[in-house]
Amino acid sequence: MHFSDIINQHYEELNEVDLSMGKFILNDAPQVTLMSTNEFAKACHSSKSSVIRFAQKLGFTGFSELRNYLKWQHDPSEMKQQHSFKERVFEDAKRTITYLQENEWLSIYRYLEDTQHVYLLATGVTQQSQAAELQRLLLLIGKPAQLIPASSQSNEFKRIVERLTEKDLIFVLSLSGENRHLANVLNILSIHNSTTVSITNMQNNWLSGRADYSLYASSSRNPNPDDWWLQTASSFFLLIEAFAFGYMDFRRGQDHEDVRF
């Protein structure tokens, strides 16, 4: 996939600053491949954080991966030996496991324990599979959850909203976290004071900034532009299992505390 196609694919998620950086790349991609993040930011009259966020909106882990993509596109033979997509699976798993080991989510577990209803909203086919697995695990644990479309226009969502309360918990799954069509969904949930948990790729993103709690997994795009449609997803299932089983441990601990006191 050509870089211009990636821009078009994510066009609705990009602001004016993003589009300006995209235009700069399209006008002189070979030069961009020689730039550092700071140099590119300076050339675009922007900041390093804006550059990184721009790259992540396009599905890259950061500017370095975007730059490598441009190099491969400009000269495929130059990058042929430098990337293994299989290795990306291992790297994403390692990054996700490190994140899982550093987080306990006790505040989410306490809210989940007391909530009346749990809803799962997913964007994209892969996220729907992840949501279905989370739904299955929560059901086995004894905390049923309902999977509904992540669209404010769906009848299912409208019906749920009619009975939504501040004691309900909503998980929203999105790979990039930059799905701006979710704005209406989150606005409606906010009006009803419902608590939201985002599940997204491991990066700062619009959705995690709007959610009350955020869960992350690492996901990488195939470094070969010819296989642009492939992206790792297994780490999300690591996250979902760790979160669900951690909740089961939490409940067991709560039961023990009740007995003790």
Side-chain angles (χ1 to χ4, degrees):
M1 175 181 277
H2 193 273
F3 183 76
S4 60
D5 296 321
I6 296 179
I7 292 291
N8 291 334
Q9 186 181 52
H10 296 273
Y11 187 84
E12 294 184 359
E13 304 166 14
L14 305 178
N15 56 35
E16 291 185 7
V17 175
D18 298 327
L19 293 174
S20 176
M21 287 189 281
K23 184 177 180 180
F24 186 94
I25 293 174
L26 291 173
N27 288 337
D28 197 357
Q31 180 62 28
V32 174
T33 63
L34 304 176
M35 292 181 172
S36 66
T37 307
N38 287 329
E39 289 171 341
F40 179 74
K42 184 177 180 180
C44 294
H45 307 289
S46 187
S47 65
K48 181 179 179 179
S49 60
S50 294
V51 171
I52 295 173
R53 185 170 174 81
F54 165 67
Q56 291 175 340
K57 286 182 181 181
L58 300 182
F60 301 100
T61 57
F63 181 72
S64 294
E65 187 178 29
L66 187 159
R67 185 180 56 214
N68 288 338
Y69 188 93
L70 295 173
K71 287 182 180 179
W72 195 319
Q73 182 177 273
H74 181 65
D75 185 4
S77 62
E78 178 184 347
M79 302 296 292
K80 183 171 56 177
Q81 302 297 327
Q82 296 188 29
H83 293 277
S84 165
F85 196 31
K86 179 182 177 182
E87 291 296 326
R88 293 293 177 92
V89 177
F90 305 147
E91 291 171 7
D92 286 331
K94 290 176 182 177
R95 290 183 65 196
T96 302
I97 289 172
T98 299
Y99 164 76
L100 298 178
Q101 291 172 330
E102 294 174 350
N103 290 272
E104 296 182 345
W105 310 304
L106 292 179
S107 56
I108 306 179
Y109 290 155
R110 293 189 184 102
Y111 202 99
L112 180 58
E113 183 68 9
D114 297 332
T115 191
Q116 292 184 345
H117 302 99
V118 180
Y119 301 106
L120 308 175
L121 286 71
T123 64
V125 175
T126 304
Q127 284 68 49
Q128 290 174 7
S129 297
Q130 295 159 3
E133 179 62 8
L134 179 56
Q135 180 187 41
R136 184 184 74 85
L137 293 176
L138 290 176
L139 178 61
L140 291 175
I141 294 171
K143 198 72 176 182
Q146 186 171 351
L147 180 59
I148 60 177
S151 169
S152 61
Q153 301 304 311
S154 70
N155 291 331
E156 294 85 351
F157 182 83
K158 292 177 180 179
R159 184 71 181 90
I160 292 300
V161 166
E162 292 178 357
R163 60 182 185 183
L164 206 58
T165 74
E166 61 184 10
K167 294 184 178 180
D168 294 334
L169 184 63
I170 297 93
F171 290 83
V172 186
L173 294 85
S174 168
L175 178 60
S176 69
E178 297 292 348
N179 308 70
R180 294 309 175 98
H181 70 271
L182 289 174
N184 288 337
V185 170
L186 294 183
N187 288 338
I188 293 172
L189 296 178
S190 177
I191 290 173
H192 291 269
N193 295 318
S194 298
T195 299
T196 54
V197 181
S198 65
I199 299 180
T200 67
N201 197 0
M202 195 176 291
Q203 60 193 43
N204 292 325
N205 58 76
W206 177 83
L207 176 57
S208 64
R210 286 288 306 270
D212 297 292
Y213 301 101
S214 298
L215 302 176
Y216 298 99
S218 182
S219 174
S220 299
R221 180 195 297 273
N222 190 319
N224 186 343
D226 293 335
D227 299 323
W228 60 269
W229 40 271
L230 289 173
Q231 188 154 359
T232 64
S234 56
S235 292
F236 278 92
F237 292 95
L238 275 176
L239 166 66
I240 287 168
E241 282 196 346
F243 177 81
F245 296 155
Y247 175 56
M248 187 163 58
D249 292 339
F250 169 82
R251 298 187 82 180
R252 184 180 294 113
Q254 292 290 98
D255 291 341
H256 290 169
E257 288 182 7
D258 292 340
V259 171
R260 187 180 307 121
F261 297 104

